Amino acid sequence: MCYSLRRFLTPLVLLTSLCLSAAALMAATFKEAAAAAGDPAQAADSWQELIRSEGASAARLYNLGNALTKLGRSGPAVLAYERAALLDPRSADIRNNLRLARESAGQTGLTSPSDHWRHLFRWLSLREWSALTLTGVALIAAASLAWGLRGFSSAPVRRAILAAVGAGVLITSLAGLALHQRRSEADIGILTAAEPVLRLSPFAEADPVASLTAGQRVILGQSTGGWTWLTVPDSEKGGWLPDSDVTPLIPRS
Amino acid sequence: MVTPSPLIPARPSGPGVIPPWPRPGRAILPLLLLMALLNGFLSAAEVTATLEPASIPAGEGATLRITVRNGNVTALNAPEVPNLIMQGPNQSRQMRSINGVTSSSLTLSYAVGSMTPGDYAIPPFTLTVDGGAIQTQPLQLNVTPSANQTPQGLAPGSTPPSSAAASGDQDFGFLTVELAGNTRKHVWVGEIAPVRIKAWIPGDAEARITSGLQPQGSSFTLHNVSDQPQQTVERNHGKQWRVLTWYGGLSAAKAGTYAPDLSIKATVSIPDPAASRGSRRGDPIFDRFFGRMVQKEVVLRSKTEADDQLEIRALPVEGRPDNFDGAVGVFQFGKTDIPGRWQTGEPQQISVEVTGSGNFALLSQPSLVPAGVFKSYPGQSSFTPGDVASFSGSTTFRFSEVARRSGSPGVHLSLSFFQPETGTYQTITTPDRTVEISGTDLPDDPAPASTAVPAAPPATEDAMMPLRTDDSAVAALTPLVFRPAFRTLTVLGGSVTVLGILLGLARRRRSDPQRRARSEEARALQSALAESESCAVRGDLAGFFSSARKALQLSLASRWQRPAPSITLADLTGRLPDNSPVLEFFAEADRQEYSRRDSGAAADRLPAWRSLLRQALSSLPPPVPRT
């Protein structure tokens, strides 16, 4: 038995060391980027490079938004904050700075969701709702399999299976409803250009339809030849914009 | 009597004869088909490309037209040819209706030419029309050496000079920034200095503004720039310029001396100053479009001389009123609405208009004096600009106040601001008004009413939450729900659920007592019948009758819901008809069982007994489901 334990001990120690080293390295890289806060341009580059190379986190996106706000780049700042809010919707800091970034970009009249259900559905991130949905499905599947194999062999087993099914149905229903309500977020884009202009046709020389605001939320449509059709929520405005002027809130694979 | 004409045959008639169609109706169907075909032909999208002329001197341009009929263009891919310059497209649309058939056409025009003589093959243009890709035909352009003087520095076959080499950026235009109506050389922090911004474009140039006005550096902030610039033509240093004028405000956030420079991006096309001009058709519009034009993406900048830099002064601390919140400008009260009757504890709405000029963004809600008698709550404000730059205007504040002390005090509204012209603070008040406050005094708040005078709206950076110093968990920006794995896992979970349900149903079915009993009975019956057949084959008469009797008892037991061994001949006699084959066989089986007669004689009749057994079993009614 000692021999078997030794066989796994070395790789386990190595793996743990690697993980700790990676975590330390990531923490060091985060600290380096944070140290450049005094120079917004350098800070923005550092956060963008960190996100590009090691992935996004709410803190990294939030700090990137701060740097971009100081640089006066409202559109990309709003995008960074919006993405940070996707990952951490309960952060008051992110909500506050997002509001300020929108106001500095000239957006007014934005209101929070008006009813309790929408508040509830936005309390958790899409990632969390997805995990809840899968958890509910797993509970129902496990309870079903247990009943199929063993049946209600005893009262405690019966209670446990019924409780699992009940909890699974409740969780899956609520999470599924939340995901259904928020399914349109896959089509949301954020205007990153300083002065985006909607055009009638997908040509630079086409007649302008409307001037929009940096950081504004839009609904993305079809893309063709480097242009994207988009519509402005709660309005009849729609038109074409170069792909470089708008970025999907949720990156498309 | 009318004799039928021989030219018009008599119409056949009689039963079974189908009369032919009337003569006019025979022409309708082909005509309809022809119209449908014609309409279809006319409705189909068609694209043509033409180039006129096909041969031009270097430095001149030909017109390439792409005409799209009866189709909607959603994308256009223009080919690139080395040394070939293409300007455009310009669009024009035409609708035509002929004999009720409507057709539309879109024409895209390019000016095409080159500074380098040679033969150019223009590849097809690719257009997306009504969702489908259509290509034009390829075209040929012949560029001959120019008979006129070549542009400076351009030898035959060489590439055209770059815009930077041909002319400095200044030739494409410039920007000027003037402080409007201000004789001072200094401004104060927070003061919005009205400015007039002019973009000067050469009179013979084509320009397209491609960005908004941007301050150079971070010293100044631009406010309320007019949306559309005024366009005029002015002469400057003997040259005609097209001038675009914006009005706005500049404010500085920190003290110091800075140059109030701005920039704006534009695409400017100017005539090549070193080349002579001439179009074979003498079309000045065409010349302007392409007639040795030099185009460049430029940044028009203003340039402030060192002597003209602006000094930004910090607001003085000395003499600053307590209720000063950062407003800089000149303001006065307008319409004011203060209720005359109050009840302690009951909120009342106050409306006050403040007019003037200055930084309205820093203007905060006036305070109701005496402050100790009232508690103020933040309200709303609405701004109405008085000019295109929103430098002057009026703000109306609407907010609530709650009276805390009863009495008949004289009240007024108070507002403090910094007047930039005099460099001093000023406090203005509305006329005193006596109000009646009834009710009991409210107890004092434990903390001072710090919200009585709401703070001025903080600058964006001041209100921002600070940097996060600790990282959070790294996560993919694309949530799991939008990835294929989510659907896969959900389907897997559903499949496991269905499997579990099916397993459960199967298990319940197996453990059903009635079903189990029926299965056992069926097995026992099959076993007895198999035994009886085996005995019959062997000639074992006693064994045959014994096992056959058992089979009959088992069959009757499932029908009568009685134990099989308890079923006797007496039971059968009472319940079955006299001629029942079951009764006959059972009686014989009993005789064989109890009398042990000589089996030799009865063995000959074994086949008959087997047949009787089958009859007996088939004569039994279907079993009744157990309760």
Side-chain angles (χ1 to χ4, degrees), chain B residues 430-450:
Chain B
T430 58
D432 234 24
R433 183 192 169 161
T434 304
V435 299
E436 294 295 327
I437 306 174
S438 56
T440 53
D441 291 357
L442 299 181
D444 289 333
D445 287 338
S450 60

Side-chain angles (χ1 to χ4, degrees), chain B residues 377-438:
Chain B
Y377 292 89
Q380 293 179 331
S381 63
S382 60
F383 172 71
T384 306
D387 56 54
V388 293
S390 302
F391 179 69
S392 66
S394 66
T395 293
T396 302
F397 294 95
R398 290 185 183 83
F399 54 96
S400 295
E401 294 271 351
V402 172
R404 302 169 54 80
R405 303 272 182 271
S406 58
S408 305
V411 302
H412 60 263
L413 289 164
S414 171
L415 177 72
S416 293
F417 54 88
F418 182 83
Q419 197 181 77
E421 288 296 332
T422 61
T424 56
Y425 294 94
Q426 194 171 338
T427 300
I428 56 172
T429 60
T430 58
D432 234 24
R433 183 192 169 161
T434 304
V435 299
E436 294 295 327
I437 306 174
S438 56

Side-chain angles (χ1 to χ4, degrees), chain B residues 93-106:
Chain B
R93 191 174 280 277
Q94 196 176 30
M95 299 282 284
R96 205 184 293 180
S97 181
I98 301 174
N99 293 331
V101 178
T102 304
S103 62
S104 68
S105 66
L106 170 73

Side-chain angles (χ1 to χ4, degrees), chain A residues 125-135 179, chain B residues 479-481 486:
Chain A
S125 66
L126 284 172
R127 189 169 58 95
E128 289 163 338
W129 282 121
S130 307
L132 272 181
T133 304
L134 291 179
T135 303
L179 290 176
Chain B
L480 184 59
V481 65
F486 182 80

Side-chain angles (χ1 to χ4, degrees), chain A:
Chain A
M1 184 178 166
C2 291
Y3 177 66
S4 328
L5 195 63
R6 262 206 300 269
R7 280 180 64 189
F8 293 108
L9 198 60
T10 307
L12 188 65
V13 167
L14 273 173
L15 187 64
T16 308
S17 305
L18 273 170
C19 290
L20 287 173
S21 302
L25 191 64
M26 285 170 67
T29 313
F30 184 92
K31 292 273 188 265
E32 282 169 11
D39 182 349
Q42 187 186 345
D45 288 341
S46 299
W47 291 119
Q48 281 170 338
E49 177 58 30
L50 183 63
I51 290 166
R52 190 193 61 77
S53 61
E54 295 183 18
S57 71
R60 297 172 187 186
L61 288 164
Y62 167 83
N63 289 341
L64 173 62
N66 281 9
L68 291 170
T69 300
K70 289 176 183 172
L71 288 173
R73 296 176 58 191
S74 307
V78 168
L79 176 67
Y81 287 133
E82 289 266 20
R83 285 180 166 175
L86 268 185
L87 299 180
D88 187 2
R90 295 175 291 282
S91 167
D93 290 357
I94 294 173
R95 282 201 305 274
N96 178 75
N97 286 12
L98 174 59
R99 177 182 57 82
L100 291 173
R102 282 180 176 157
E103 285 174 3
S104 80
Q107 294 179 46
T108 56
L110 292 170
T111 55
S112 302
S114 56
D115 56 72
H116 295 300
W117 280 112
R118 288 180 186 267
H119 270 295
L120 173 65
F121 294 150
R122 276 166 172 73
W123 185 246
L124 296 180
S125 66
L126 284 172
R127 189 169 58 95
E128 289 163 338
W129 282 121
S130 307
L132 272 181
T133 304
L134 291 179
T135 303
V137 168
L139 274 176
I140 295 171
S144 171
L145 198 60
W147 177 75
L149 293 174
R150 303 301 299 271
F152 295 142
S153 54
S154 64
V157 169
R158 177 192 174 97
R159 279 197 292 270
I161 289 175
L162 289 178
V165 169
V169 167
L170 190 66
I171 291 170
T172 305
S173 302
L174 184 64
L177 187 62
L179 290 176
H180 177 74
Q181 286 289 322
R182 295 181 62 178
R183 66 192 184 282
S184 60
E185 290 183 22
D187 295 327
I188 288 178
I190 304 293
L191 300 181
T192 49
E195 294 185 352
V197 176
L198 277 186
R199 299 202 178 268
L200 197 61
S201 304
F203 308 119
E205 295 80 14
D207 291 339
V209 172
S211 290
L212 303 180
T213 316
Q216 191 168 353
R217 274 191 168 202
V218 293
I219 299 170
L220 303 174
Q222 63 168 3
S223 286
T224 179
W227 291 75
T228 300
W229 171 269
L230 53 90
T231 50
V232 180
D234 301 325
S235 81
E236 295 178 356
K237 288 181 194 169
W240 295 91
L241 205 66
D243 287 348
S244 55
D245 287 359
V246 61
T247 305
L249 176 61
I250 295 174
R252 291 175 169 176
S253 52

Side-chain angles (χ1 to χ4, degrees), chain B residues 123-196:
Chain B
F125 284 66
T126 304
L127 298 93
T128 304
V129 182
D130 294 333
I134 298 180
Q135 283 192 333
T136 62
Q137 68 271 29
L139 300 164
Q140 287 287 330
L141 177 68
N142 170 246
V143 179
T144 58
S146 171
N148 297 323
Q149 181 184 353
T150 55
Q152 186 176 9
L154 180 65
S158 67
T159 55
S162 67
S163 304
S167 56
D169 278 8
Q170 201 69 6
D171 290 343
F172 290 85
F174 56 94
L175 211 62
T176 57
V177 180
E178 306 157 13
L179 291 178
N182 191 352
T183 56
R184 288 182 277 132
K185 288 293 185 186
H186 66 270
V187 293
W188 301 90
V189 170
E191 177 186 0
I192 294 185
V195 292
R196 183 169 43 236

